[in-house]
Amino acid sequence: MSHAHDPDIVKRLRRAQGHLDTVVKMLAGGREVPEVVQQLQAVEKALEKVKMLLIFDHIDHHLFETTGTQTPETRRSIESLKALTKYL
């Protein structure tokens, strides 16, 4: 399976799409701005999570699967670097 076609990533994208569809319906229905903005926040967070998963999967694929290097020390180092991304 291509690392860009992970079922979890597709599921999350569909969830974001559902949130965005809801935003369009809310605007068409004349909903209050605070409610619409809250829903837009959900869309943004869902897309940010998908982006993070894609990047992490890409890193894993190219650093481990392609090179074949998966020592415990290397794995810990990469996981440590991934953990730092929450501060970006």
Side-chain angles (χ1 to χ4, degrees):
M1 175 189 307
S2 168
H3 62 105
H5 291 92
D6 184 300
D8 188 43
I9 291 170
V10 173
K11 180 178 70 174
R12 288 175 181 276
L13 283 171
R14 286 192 177 124
R15 187 176 307 135
Q17 185 177 28
H19 286 306
L20 192 54
D21 289 343
T22 299
V23 170
V24 172
K25 290 174 187 170
M26 291 172 80
L27 288 171
R31 299 283 290 270
E32 296 293 322
V33 170
E35 295 174 27
V36 174
V37 172
Q38 181 180 17
Q39 194 66 28
L40 280 172
Q41 179 73 14
V43 173
E44 289 175 357
K45 291 296 180 185
L47 291 175
E48 286 174 9
K49 183 68 174 180
V50 167
K51 181 173 62 174
M52 183 186 71
L53 288 172
L54 277 170
I55 291 169
F56 286 176
D57 189 67
H58 190 72
I59 289 169
D60 286 343
H61 175 75
H62 288 283
L63 287 179
F64 297 118
E65 294 174 24
T66 303
T67 65
T69 307
Q70 282 194 358
T71 66
E73 182 180 334
T74 304
R75 174 58 71 185
R76 279 192 302 275
S77 294
I78 295 301
E79 294 302 322
S80 176
L81 289 172
K82 286 192 222 175
L84 287 174
T85 64
K86 69 182 177 183
Y87 300 111
L88 295 176

